[in-house]
Amino acid sequence: NMSVKHIQNIPTEPVPNTTGVTKAVLISAEEAPNFAMRKFSIAPGGSMPLHTNKVEHEQYILRGKARVQLGEEVLEVTVGNIVFIPAYLPHCYTNIADEPFEFLCLIPTGEDVTTFL
């Protein structure tokens, strides 16, 4: 396991059941005992539908602007915003800018189950 990597050397993959969303796993659950770190990108016009996860998400917005639904609440987030999503809280994202919406997402390692609503 490498303790230092570069983002350019990490592959991105499309996220199933989404529109224009890709994911890069920066630190995997196999590499670290407690947390995994991923970087998501949502293309202009793209979105991730309403879903829940079995584990909490801790997110930091790197680029762009999006509408985020957290339970009943709808917010706009942009660069520098920090978002905490408790386990099982329904949430979704819609890119509302002309550039990619990118964010880091940290989750505890262990089983995560995504359920689309």
Side-chain angles (χ1 to χ4, degrees):
N1 288 347
M2 292 173 43
S3 55
V4 176
K5 306 181 208 179
H6 197 282
I7 188 81
Q8 289 177 334
N9 300 323
I10 295 174
T12 60
E13 57 194 42
V15 178
N17 305 305
T18 67
T19 304
V21 183
T22 57
K23 173 176 78 170
V25 178
L26 309 185
I27 300 173
S28 71
E30 290 72 42
E31 294 171 284
N34 300 303
F35 293 93
M37 182 189 299
R38 301 91 50 82
K39 184 173 92 107
F40 286 86
S41 182
I42 304 179
S47 61
M48 187 179 296
L50 196 64
H51 65 284
T52 61
N53 295 88
K54 189 176 169 182
V55 298
E56 71 188 56
H57 292 359
E58 298 179 0
Q59 300 177 339
Y60 180 70
I61 313 309
L62 300 169
R63 181 180 179 194
K65 188 175 180 184
R67 188 175 305 110
V68 178
Q69 180 176 338
L70 303 171
E72 300 297 310
E73 194 173 17
V74 177
L75 306 160
E76 283 187 9
V77 296
T78 189
V79 180
N81 278 134
I82 297 150
V83 181
F84 175 69
I85 304 172
Y88 299 110
L89 183 73
H91 57 288
C92 63
Y93 311 84
T94 303
N95 185 339
I96 56 173
D98 295 330
E99 63 177 326
F101 174 68
E102 297 183 344
F103 60 96
L104 293 180
C105 182
L106 283 77
I107 58 169
T109 56
E111 187 189 31
D112 182 20
V113 177
T114 300
T115 304
F116 289 94
L117 304 176

